[in-house]
Amino acid sequence: MTRLTATACAKLGDGKHSDGDGLSLIVRGSSRSWVFRYSIGGVQREAGLGKLSHVGLAEARRAAADLRAQVRQGVDPIAERVAKAKAAAPVARADKKTLLAVCRQYHENFAEPTLTTKHAKQWISSIEQHIPGAILKTPIDEVEAGDLLDALQPLYTSIPETARRVRQRLDVVFDYAILRKMATANPARAVARSLRQKWDRGQYRSLPYRDLPEFLSALREYPGTAALALEFLILTVARSEEVRLAKWSEVIDDVWTVPPERMKAGDQHVVYMSQQAQAVLARIPRLGGDFVFPGRKPDQPQSNMAMLTLLSRMGWRERTTVHGFRATFSTWANETGAARPDVIEACLAHQEGNLVRRAYNRAAFIAERRELLAAWGRYCESHQSRTR
């Protein structure tokens, strides 16, 4: 295979570009970062080697060669890094709580009582697994934004969705610490802008929003319930399970109310449907039964593979996943400034960790959420019309 050159590294477009032997340069917009992929104990892992602006091609190759030598000796480079970080971690003074201690305190007092058992465990484990021990053992009022940025940047490169959630959870922990006079600043909020980037090519592949015209034009060519369900999912930015099990009894005028048992966070979610989303519902034949998108029988829901199978038939499965359309919406809304970040998160039904802010969001964001989804519907419709 052709190896990278220093000139190519500076000019390559978005994507993951291999230099061979596990070393790759990942390009997302203006971000260019090195990763080294290796396998140990049958597990595939990726170690970040730094940004191209700080680590040149030759230096990245030397670093990859060092890690490759460790793997041959049976040493996991990431585990080795964590062990060294723990050994060098400062010991917190007795009168100050560490970041980890405050995270666990917040988790016990707020996350566990309000989330499902599964998601409460994920909440704390995501922080413990992805934030280095050296930072977790630091007194919370001494954690610096630069250290958090260095810890989260490689994660944003390899698993952007997980990195986003970890940063959000740390955000509410630092807010909690400030309210209780355990800290005076929120470094997790300070790094948000530096880490903001498209969700793309990770666990959930997603289309750049500028590619929606081509996709929506193609989707309209396919008849059947799965195509209608996928279009409705895009317009409401809902999760596939919420759409697949949607019922007519949940729809009143332009409001679709999804019950708690179908929501990831266990809270009822209200979708203020755009005219375009309502138009999709108007095209659905009522065959009896309560399911909006029935399967082969009116009293049974659509298969959980129907929309994914449709993507395969359309030839788009390598470019996006069903879940990825939520990322497409988020990128469009954030990059175009269509709404405030809190409103965008509320439309996506992302759980707000701060209980006070969560209550406020529910009460105050109705008009803004309605307008944001209306703007998204107009965007989708205008781009469909351009391609017809």
Side-chain angles (χ1 to χ4, degrees), residues 232 235-236 248 251-255 272-284 370:
F232 186 73
L235 291 165
T236 59
W248 289 112
V251 177
I252 300 177
D253 297 326
D254 66 342
V255 176
Y272 302 99
M273 295 183 293
S274 63
Q275 293 181 358
Q276 292 74 21
Q278 296 175 66
V280 173
L281 296 184
R283 301 200 325 256
I284 300 173
R370 190 185 294 275

PDB file of all heavy atoms in Angstrom, residues 232 235-236 248 251-255 272-284 370:
ATOM      1  N   PHE A 232     -40.081   9.750   8.874  1.00  0.00           N
ATOM      2  CA  PHE A 232     -40.636  10.302  10.116  1.00  0.00           C
ATOM      3  C   PHE A 232     -39.552  10.387  11.186  1.00  0.00           C
ATOM      4  O   PHE A 232     -39.467  11.375  11.925  1.00  0.00           O
ATOM      5  CB  PHE A 232     -41.782   9.409  10.595  1.00  0.00           C
ATOM      6  CG  PHE A 232     -42.534   9.954  11.787  1.00  0.00           C
ATOM      7  CD1 PHE A 232     -43.389  11.038  11.659  1.00  0.00           C
ATOM      8  CD2 PHE A 232     -42.386   9.367  13.035  1.00  0.00           C
ATOM      9  CE1 PHE A 232     -44.088  11.527  12.761  1.00  0.00           C
ATOM     10  CE2 PHE A 232     -43.068   9.856  14.138  1.00  0.00           C
ATOM     11  CZ  PHE A 232     -43.930  10.941  13.997  1.00  0.00           C
ATOM     12  N   LEU A 235     -37.337  13.422  10.500  1.00  0.00           N
ATOM     13  CA  LEU A 235     -38.004  14.698  10.759  1.00  0.00           C
ATOM     14  C   LEU A 235     -38.246  14.950  12.244  1.00  0.00           C
ATOM     15  O   LEU A 235     -38.295  16.101  12.681  1.00  0.00           O
ATOM     16  CB  LEU A 235     -39.326  14.757   9.998  1.00  0.00           C
ATOM     17  CG  LEU A 235     -39.199  14.855   8.474  1.00  0.00           C
ATOM     18  CD1 LEU A 235     -40.518  14.535   7.802  1.00  0.00           C
ATOM     19  CD2 LEU A 235     -38.712  16.247   8.074  1.00  0.00           C
ATOM     20  N   THR A 236     -38.394  13.891  13.031  1.00  0.00           N
ATOM     21  CA  THR A 236     -38.652  14.049  14.473  1.00  0.00           C
ATOM     22  C   THR A 236     -37.401  13.850  15.306  1.00  0.00           C
ATOM     23  O   THR A 236     -37.436  14.016  16.526  1.00  0.00           O
ATOM     24  CB  THR A 236     -39.719  13.035  14.945  1.00  0.00           C
ATOM     25  OG1 THR A 236     -39.264  11.694  14.666  1.00  0.00           O
ATOM     26  CG2 THR A 236     -41.051  13.284  14.260  1.00  0.00           C
ATOM     27  N   TRP A 248     -50.932   5.466  17.375  1.00  0.00           N
ATOM     28  CA  TRP A 248     -51.815   6.568  17.031  1.00  0.00           C
ATOM     29  C   TRP A 248     -52.373   7.230  18.284  1.00  0.00           C
ATOM     30  O   TRP A 248     -52.621   8.440  18.289  1.00  0.00           O
ATOM     31  CB  TRP A 248     -52.956   6.071  16.143  1.00  0.00           C
ATOM     32  CG  TRP A 248     -52.518   5.695  14.756  1.00  0.00           C
ATOM     33  CD1 TRP A 248     -52.485   4.445  14.208  1.00  0.00           C
ATOM     34  CD2 TRP A 248     -52.058   6.587  13.739  1.00  0.00           C
ATOM     35  NE1 TRP A 248     -52.027   4.493  12.921  1.00  0.00           N
ATOM     36  CE2 TRP A 248     -51.750   5.796  12.592  1.00  0.00           C
ATOM     37  CE3 TRP A 248     -51.863   7.966  13.667  1.00  0.00           C
ATOM     38  CZ2 TRP A 248     -51.278   6.348  11.409  1.00  0.00           C
ATOM     39  CZ3 TRP A 248     -51.394   8.513  12.491  1.00  0.00           C
ATOM     40  CH2 TRP A 248     -51.104   7.721  11.381  1.00  0.00           C
ATOM     41  N   VAL A 251     -50.580  10.323  19.507  1.00  0.00           N
ATOM     42  CA  VAL A 251     -50.543  11.511  18.644  1.00  0.00           C
ATOM     43  C   VAL A 251     -51.828  12.314  18.797  1.00  0.00           C
ATOM     44  O   VAL A 251     -52.930  11.793  18.596  1.00  0.00           O
ATOM     45  CB  VAL A 251     -50.359  11.111  17.165  1.00  0.00           C
ATOM     46  CG1 VAL A 251     -50.384  12.340  16.267  1.00  0.00           C
ATOM     47  CG2 VAL A 251     -49.062  10.336  16.986  1.00  0.00           C
ATOM     48  N   ILE A 252     -51.680  13.586  19.181  1.00  0.00           N
ATOM     49  CA  ILE A 252     -52.812  14.508  19.257  1.00  0.00           C
ATOM     50  C   ILE A 252     -52.417  15.782  18.526  1.00  0.00           C
ATOM     51  O   ILE A 252     -51.503  16.498  18.961  1.00  0.00           O
ATOM     52  CB  ILE A 252     -53.203  14.818  20.716  1.00  0.00           C
ATOM     53  CG1 ILE A 252     -53.598  13.537  21.461  1.00  0.00           C
ATOM     54  CG2 ILE A 252     -54.339  15.844  20.758  1.00  0.00           C
ATOM     55  CD1 ILE A 252     -53.917  13.763  22.924  1.00  0.00           C
ATOM     56  N   ASP A 253     -53.103  16.044  17.420  1.00  0.00           N
ATOM     57  CA  ASP A 253     -52.791  17.208  16.578  1.00  0.00           C
ATOM     58  C   ASP A 253     -51.313  17.159  16.167  1.00  0.00           C
ATOM     59  O   ASP A 253     -50.890  16.211  15.534  1.00  0.00           O
ATOM     60  CB  ASP A 253     -53.140  18.503  17.308  1.00  0.00           C
ATOM     61  CG  ASP A 253     -54.636  18.602  17.592  1.00  0.00           C
ATOM     62  OD1 ASP A 253     -55.413  18.120  16.770  1.00  0.00           O
ATOM     63  OD2 ASP A 253     -55.017  19.142  18.652  1.00  0.00           O
ATOM     64  N   ASP A 254     -50.499  18.183  16.563  1.00  0.00           N
ATOM     65  CA  ASP A 254     -49.096  18.205  16.147  1.00  0.00           C
ATOM     66  C   ASP A 254     -48.167  17.759  17.260  1.00  0.00           C
ATOM     67  O   ASP A 254     -46.964  18.020  17.210  1.00  0.00           O
ATOM     68  CB  ASP A 254     -48.706  19.619  15.670  1.00  0.00           C
ATOM     69  CG  ASP A 254     -48.739  20.639  16.800  1.00  0.00           C
ATOM     70  OD1 ASP A 254     -49.378  20.361  17.840  1.00  0.00           O
ATOM     71  OD2 ASP A 254     -48.135  21.719  16.645  1.00  0.00           O
ATOM     72  N   VAL A 255     -48.698  17.066  18.255  1.00  0.00           N
ATOM     73  CA  VAL A 255     -47.897  16.621  19.398  1.00  0.00           C
ATOM     74  C   VAL A 255     -47.881  15.101  19.466  1.00  0.00           C
ATOM     75  O   VAL A 255     -48.937  14.455  19.456  1.00  0.00           O
ATOM     76  CB  VAL A 255     -48.446  17.201  20.721  1.00  0.00           C
ATOM     77  CG1 VAL A 255     -47.662  16.648  21.903  1.00  0.00           C
ATOM     78  CG2 VAL A 255     -48.350  18.720  20.703  1.00  0.00           C
ATOM     79  N   TYR A 272     -42.765  17.961  19.201  1.00  0.00           N
ATOM     80  CA  TYR A 272     -43.632  18.949  18.555  1.00  0.00           C
ATOM     81  C   TYR A 272     -43.410  18.835  17.052  1.00  0.00           C
ATOM     82  O   TYR A 272     -42.469  19.399  16.507  1.00  0.00           O
ATOM     83  CB  TYR A 272     -43.318  20.344  19.099  1.00  0.00           C
ATOM     84  CG  TYR A 272     -43.503  20.413  20.597  1.00  0.00           C
ATOM     85  CD1 TYR A 272     -42.415  20.315  21.451  1.00  0.00           C
ATOM     86  CD2 TYR A 272     -44.779  20.504  21.149  1.00  0.00           C
ATOM     87  CE1 TYR A 272     -42.588  20.335  22.830  1.00  0.00           C
ATOM     88  CE2 TYR A 272     -44.961  20.530  22.533  1.00  0.00           C
ATOM     89  CZ  TYR A 272     -43.857  20.441  23.362  1.00  0.00           C
ATOM     90  OH  TYR A 272     -44.030  20.448  24.716  1.00  0.00           O
ATOM     91  N   MET A 273     -44.286  18.097  16.403  1.00  0.00           N
ATOM     92  CA  MET A 273     -44.054  17.695  15.022  1.00  0.00           C
ATOM     93  C   MET A 273     -44.178  18.866  14.051  1.00  0.00           C
ATOM     94  O   MET A 273     -45.093  19.674  14.150  1.00  0.00           O
ATOM     95  CB  MET A 273     -45.036  16.594  14.626  1.00  0.00           C
ATOM     96  CG  MET A 273     -44.854  15.298  15.391  1.00  0.00           C
ATOM     97  SD  MET A 273     -45.980  14.011  14.803  1.00  0.00           S
ATOM     98  CE  MET A 273     -47.579  14.694  15.325  1.00  0.00           C
ATOM     99  N   SER A 274     -43.249  18.912  13.111  1.00  0.00           N
ATOM    100  CA  SER A 274     -43.298  19.915  12.048  1.00  0.00           C
ATOM    101  C   SER A 274     -44.409  19.552  11.069  1.00  0.00           C
ATOM    102  O   SER A 274     -44.973  18.447  11.086  1.00  0.00           O
ATOM    103  CB  SER A 274     -41.958  19.952  11.315  1.00  0.00           C
ATOM    104  OG  SER A 274     -41.722  18.700  10.675  1.00  0.00           O
ATOM    105  N   GLN A 275     -44.720  20.485  10.169  1.00  0.00           N
ATOM    106  CA  GLN A 275     -45.717  20.196   9.134  1.00  0.00           C
ATOM    107  C   GLN A 275     -45.269  19.025   8.263  1.00  0.00           C
ATOM    108  O   GLN A 275     -46.096  18.221   7.821  1.00  0.00           O
ATOM    109  CB  GLN A 275     -45.930  21.441   8.266  1.00  0.00           C
ATOM    110  CG  GLN A 275     -46.583  22.594   8.992  1.00  0.00           C
ATOM    111  CD  GLN A 275     -46.799  23.797   8.095  1.00  0.00           C
ATOM    112  OE1 GLN A 275     -46.424  23.790   6.908  1.00  0.00           O
ATOM    113  NE2 GLN A 275     -47.381  24.849   8.635  1.00  0.00           N
ATOM    114  N   GLN A 276     -43.964  18.921   8.035  1.00  0.00           N
ATOM    115  CA  GLN A 276     -43.441  17.841   7.202  1.00  0.00           C
ATOM    116  C   GLN A 276     -43.625  16.478   7.880  1.00  0.00           C
ATOM    117  O   GLN A 276     -43.960  15.488   7.224  1.00  0.00           O
ATOM    118  CB  GLN A 276     -41.965  18.094   6.899  1.00  0.00           C
ATOM    119  CG  GLN A 276     -41.704  19.290   6.000  1.00  0.00           C
ATOM    120  CD  GLN A 276     -41.892  20.637   6.699  1.00  0.00           C
ATOM    121  OE1 GLN A 276     -41.841  20.722   7.933  1.00  0.00           O
ATOM    122  NE2 GLN A 276     -42.100  21.684   5.928  1.00  0.00           N
ATOM    123  N   ALA A 277     -43.417  16.423   9.208  1.00  0.00           N
ATOM    124  CA  ALA A 277     -43.618  15.168   9.938  1.00  0.00           C
ATOM    125  C   ALA A 277     -45.089  14.786   9.949  1.00  0.00           C
ATOM    126  O   ALA A 277     -45.447  13.607   9.786  1.00  0.00           O
ATOM    127  CB  ALA A 277     -43.093  15.311  11.365  1.00  0.00           C
ATOM    128  N   GLN A 278     -45.959  15.776  10.115  1.00  0.00           N
ATOM    129  CA  GLN A 278     -47.396  15.495  10.081  1.00  0.00           C
ATOM    130  C   GLN A 278     -47.827  15.008   8.701  1.00  0.00           C
ATOM    131  O   GLN A 278     -48.719  14.160   8.584  1.00  0.00           O
ATOM    132  CB  GLN A 278     -48.177  16.759  10.456  1.00  0.00           C
ATOM    133  CG  GLN A 278     -47.939  17.237  11.890  1.00  0.00           C
ATOM    134  CD  GLN A 278     -48.628  18.555  12.163  1.00  0.00           C
ATOM    135  OE1 GLN A 278     -49.858  18.651  12.174  1.00  0.00           O
ATOM    136  NE2 GLN A 278     -47.828  19.603  12.366  1.00  0.00           N
ATOM    137  N   ALA A 279     -47.180  15.534   7.665  1.00  0.00           N
ATOM    138  CA  ALA A 279     -47.516  15.112   6.296  1.00  0.00           C
ATOM    139  C   ALA A 279     -47.169  13.641   6.081  1.00  0.00           C
ATOM    140  O   ALA A 279     -47.860  12.935   5.348  1.00  0.00           O
ATOM    141  CB  ALA A 279     -46.785  15.988   5.278  1.00  0.00           C
ATOM    142  N   VAL A 280     -46.085  13.166   6.721  1.00  0.00           N
ATOM    143  CA  VAL A 280     -45.734  11.740   6.627  1.00  0.00           C
ATOM    144  C   VAL A 280     -46.850  10.901   7.245  1.00  0.00           C
ATOM    145  O   VAL A 280     -47.286   9.895   6.665  1.00  0.00           O
ATOM    146  CB  VAL A 280     -44.394  11.458   7.338  1.00  0.00           C
ATOM    147  CG1 VAL A 280     -44.128   9.957   7.388  1.00  0.00           C
ATOM    148  CG2 VAL A 280     -43.254  12.164   6.625  1.00  0.00           C
ATOM    149  N   LEU A 281     -47.335  11.306   8.409  1.00  0.00           N
ATOM    150  CA  LEU A 281     -48.413  10.557   9.055  1.00  0.00           C
ATOM    151  C   LEU A 281     -49.666  10.546   8.189  1.00  0.00           C
ATOM    152  O   LEU A 281     -50.394   9.547   8.150  1.00  0.00           O
ATOM    153  CB  LEU A 281     -48.725  11.166  10.431  1.00  0.00           C
ATOM    154  CG  LEU A 281     -47.622  11.109  11.484  1.00  0.00           C
ATOM    155  CD1 LEU A 281     -48.125  11.660  12.820  1.00  0.00           C
ATOM    156  CD2 LEU A 281     -47.105   9.688  11.669  1.00  0.00           C
ATOM    157  N   ALA A 282     -49.913  11.638   7.488  1.00  0.00           N
ATOM    158  CA  ALA A 282     -51.102  11.717   6.639  1.00  0.00           C
ATOM    159  C   ALA A 282     -51.022  10.758   5.461  1.00  0.00           C
ATOM    160  O   ALA A 282     -52.065  10.388   4.897  1.00  0.00           O
ATOM    161  CB  ALA A 282     -51.284  13.151   6.136  1.00  0.00           C
ATOM    162  N   ARG A 283     -49.822  10.342   5.084  1.00  0.00           N
ATOM    163  CA  ARG A 283     -49.658   9.416   3.955  1.00  0.00           C
ATOM    164  C   ARG A 283     -49.788   7.954   4.365  1.00  0.00           C
ATOM    165  O   ARG A 283     -49.747   7.065   3.512  1.00  0.00           O
ATOM    166  CB  ARG A 283     -48.278   9.622   3.301  1.00  0.00           C
ATOM    167  CG  ARG A 283     -48.059  11.021   2.800  1.00  0.00           C
ATOM    168  CD  ARG A 283     -46.966  11.182   1.760  1.00  0.00           C
ATOM    169  NE  ARG A 283     -45.808  10.337   1.882  1.00  0.00           N
ATOM    170  CZ  ARG A 283     -44.614  10.754   2.340  1.00  0.00           C
ATOM    171  NH1 ARG A 283     -44.471  12.001   2.803  1.00  0.00           N
ATOM    172  NH2 ARG A 283     -43.587   9.951   2.352  1.00  0.00           N
ATOM    173  N   ILE A 284     -49.931   7.691   5.658  1.00  0.00           N
ATOM    174  CA  ILE A 284     -49.968   6.312   6.137  1.00  0.00           C
ATOM    175  C   ILE A 284     -51.401   5.795   6.132  1.00  0.00           C
ATOM    176  O   ILE A 284     -52.290   6.392   6.752  1.00  0.00           O
ATOM    177  CB  ILE A 284     -49.393   6.216   7.564  1.00  0.00           C
ATOM    178  CG1 ILE A 284     -47.938   6.697   7.578  1.00  0.00           C
ATOM    179  CG2 ILE A 284     -49.504   4.794   8.103  1.00  0.00           C
ATOM    180  CD1 ILE A 284     -47.342   6.799   8.955  1.00  0.00           C
ATOM    181  N   ARG A 370     -40.321  23.656  19.406  1.00  0.00           N
ATOM    182  CA  ARG A 370     -41.274  23.613  18.300  1.00  0.00           C
ATOM    183  C   ARG A 370     -40.691  24.321  17.063  1.00  0.00           C
ATOM    184  O   ARG A 370     -40.760  23.814  15.944  1.00  0.00           O
ATOM    185  CB  ARG A 370     -42.586  24.275  18.730  1.00  0.00           C
ATOM    186  CG  ARG A 370     -43.737  24.065  17.747  1.00  0.00           C
ATOM    187  CD  ARG A 370     -44.966  24.854  18.183  1.00  0.00           C
ATOM    188  NE  ARG A 370     -45.521  24.374  19.429  1.00  0.00           N
ATOM    189  CZ  ARG A 370     -46.381  23.380  19.538  1.00  0.00           C
ATOM    190  NH1 ARG A 370     -46.760  22.741  18.450  1.00  0.00           N
ATOM    191  NH2 ARG A 370     -46.847  23.019  20.710  1.00  0.00           N
TER     192      ARG A 370
END
